[in-house]
Amino acid sequence: GRHLKRDQAVMHFNHRPGEQLQADFAGDKLGYVDRSTDEWIACESLICAMRFSHYLYVEALRSQQQEELIKGLVNTFNYLGGVPESTKFDNTKTAVTRASRYEPTFTEAMEMLAAHYGTTILAARVRRPRDKPSVEKGVSVAYNQIYGPLRDRIFYSLEELNAAIRQQLEIVNSKPFQSKAGSRKELFETHEKPLLKELPCDPYLIKHVTEGKVQRNYHVILGEDRHQYSVPYTLIGKRLKIIYTTDTVEVYDGLSRIAVHKRNYQKNGYTTLSEHMPEKHRYYTRQKGWNAEYFEQQASEVGKATLHVLQRILQSRKF
């Protein structure tokens, strides 16, 4: 029994302010309703915590794919207003290509992220929750104090969901500790924020480049999502370059950018700008009648309250 207790000894670590950010994905999922299909879209929740102050950041992402994780980490650094010395992950396949116990090899994109922000990327050992106690505690806090208040609310976009998460996050970080003076935010801003490295001038983004031929419907197809984006109809039949990130899709004819769209992940869907249509197509679209976007645009010009009332009306029934 004495030998068993000896082998279970736990080493105590004193963590310096600004030293480490810990990150993990929560097991439970939040989500939103896609208005166009009434489908509930499940999202992954990235939870990050500073090791010293337990200052939290939570964001709903579309998936655990590396591109989404990097977007979440960039947003975390922006939320912190600086970069910690190191960032430690759970041993997720997204970030780690070889799950070695002590020397994980990270994918090239993660290494580029680390170089861009001047932080060291670490991985927690497999099935070792003591390697990341701050974020384990953060997950528990997120479930109780962020997920809880949002569980009965319905959201209609990822942006709407994350805006609500951010509101709850501010409440949690500003809430006084039960067992000691101050709050997460106070501890972070007093002792950690002054020690963080400065953010680089430009955020790190993974950019993908592909090509597409303009179809007869004056759209190009982004094969990864099976979604179509409009371009000026005069370019039908031409091959164009498509540059896209997690949030935007840009279309180039040579060196000229001829279209930019918000990225849409709806499979087999269409994103169409009226200015790309031939005049007779624009006329037909107007003749079809008004849609939700038209009413929302008109309401937003009146004011936020009018827009909110109109959105409640649109959500309350099918038209």
Side-chain angles (χ1 to χ4, degrees):
R2 192 170 71 247
H3 291 293
L4 185 61
K5 287 182 181 177
R6 184 193 64 194
D7 291 341
Q8 290 178 343
V10 176
M11 186 173 179
H12 175 72
F13 291 94
N14 287 316
H15 289 272
R16 291 181 289 106
E19 181 184 25
Q20 190 176 97
L21 174 76
Q22 297 186 337
D24 199 0
F25 283 106
D28 291 355
K29 297 183 188 343
L30 291 172
Y32 64 93
V33 175
D34 185 334
R35 271 206 187 98
S36 61
T37 62
D38 281 341
E39 180 186 3
W40 193 78
I41 309 297
C43 299
E44 301 287 347
S45 292
L46 177 67
I47 299 180
C48 299
M50 289 299 294
R51 183 71 182 92
F52 177 82
S53 63
H54 300 276
Y55 191 60
L56 283 177
Y57 179 74
V58 181
E59 182 178 354
L61 301 174
R62 298 181 192 280
S63 70
Q64 287 194 22
Q65 290 179 351
Q66 182 170 255
E67 189 176 9
E68 286 289 316
L69 172 59
I70 285 176
K71 173 188 169 185
L73 286 173
V74 168
N75 289 340
T76 304
F77 295 148
N78 289 337
Y79 182 77
L80 298 176
V83 185
E85 291 178 22
S86 65
T87 303
K88 179 178 276 190
F89 293 97
D90 183 14
N91 210 326
T92 169
K93 291 178 182 176
T94 303
V96 184
T97 54
R98 178 173 57 86
S100 163
R101 180 167 177 175
Y102 295 108
E103 295 180 342
T105 301
F106 287 85
T107 57
E108 185 178 10
M110 295 303 296
E111 290 172 351
M112 290 172 70
L113 171 75
H116 187 84
Y117 283 94
T119 185
T120 302
I121 304 290
L122 306 169
R125 293 171 297 166
V126 181
R127 291 182 292 279
R128 290 296 189 277
R130 287 198 191 103
D131 282 2
K132 47 185 177 64
S134 295
V135 75
E136 292 283 341
K137 173 68 174 173
V139 170
S140 175
V141 171
Y143 285 160
N144 294 328
Q145 299 181 43
I146 296 177
Y147 277 44
L150 303 183
R151 209 173 289 279
D152 295 329
R153 291 175 58 183
I154 299 175
F155 304 99
Y156 292 93
S157 70
L158 184 62
E159 292 78 13
E160 200 178 312
L161 172 59
N162 275 320
I165 289 174
R166 183 66 69 92
Q167 287 180 337
Q168 290 303 127
L169 194 59
E170 289 300 320
I171 294 170
V172 171
N173 280 330
S174 301
K175 188 176 180 181
F177 288 119
Q178 290 182 334
S179 57
K180 58 183 176 182
S183 64
R184 287 178 170 84
K185 187 170 186 176
E186 198 175 319
L187 204 57
F188 169 76
E189 292 191 341
T190 303
H191 298 286
E192 296 206 279
K193 192 167 184 178
L195 299 177
L196 298 181
K197 298 178 185 178
E198 285 188 24
L199 289 165
C201 295
D202 300 311
Y204 176 71
L205 282 175
I206 295 181
K207 288 195 173 184
H208 300 281
V209 181
T210 186
E211 285 190 343
K213 184 178 179 180
V214 184
Q215 310 297 305
R216 289 183 63 188
N217 63 4
Y218 48 90
H219 286 67
V220 291
I221 302 172
L222 185 59
E224 184 176 337
D225 303 331
R226 299 203 303 276
H227 192 91
Q228 299 196 33
Y229 296 90
S230 67
V231 297
Y233 73 93
T234 52
L235 298 172
I236 288 173
K238 200 163 188 180
R239 290 198 70 81
L240 302 176
K241 181 187 289 185
I242 305 169
I243 300 177
Y244 61 102
T245 68
T246 51
D247 297 320
T248 59
V249 176
E250 300 174 282
V251 187
Y252 286 81
D253 181 11
L255 297 176
S256 301
R257 190 176 75 176
I258 46 87
V260 58
H261 298 276
K262 179 182 176 184
R263 188 170 174 184
N264 191 317
Y265 290 81
Q266 183 186 352
K267 303 292 184 188
N268 303 311
Y270 292 82
T271 297
T272 310
L273 300 181
S274 61
E275 58 262 34
H276 293 159
M277 297 177 172
E279 180 54 40
K280 61 182 180 181
H281 288 196
R282 291 188 213 179
Y283 177 76
Y284 175 71
T285 301
R286 289 195 295 268
Q287 291 296 101
K288 280 201 310 180
W290 297 305
N291 56 19
E293 287 73 20
Y294 170 82
F295 285 115
E296 288 177 341
Q297 174 62 34
Q298 295 299 310
S300 66
E301 291 178 6
V302 178
K304 286 184 179 179
T306 306
L307 176 62
H308 181 68
V309 170
L310 182 86
Q311 287 174 334
R312 293 291 295 271
I313 294 170
L314 290 172
Q315 292 164 16
S316 66
R317 63 191 70 111
K318 289 284 185 184
F319 289 92

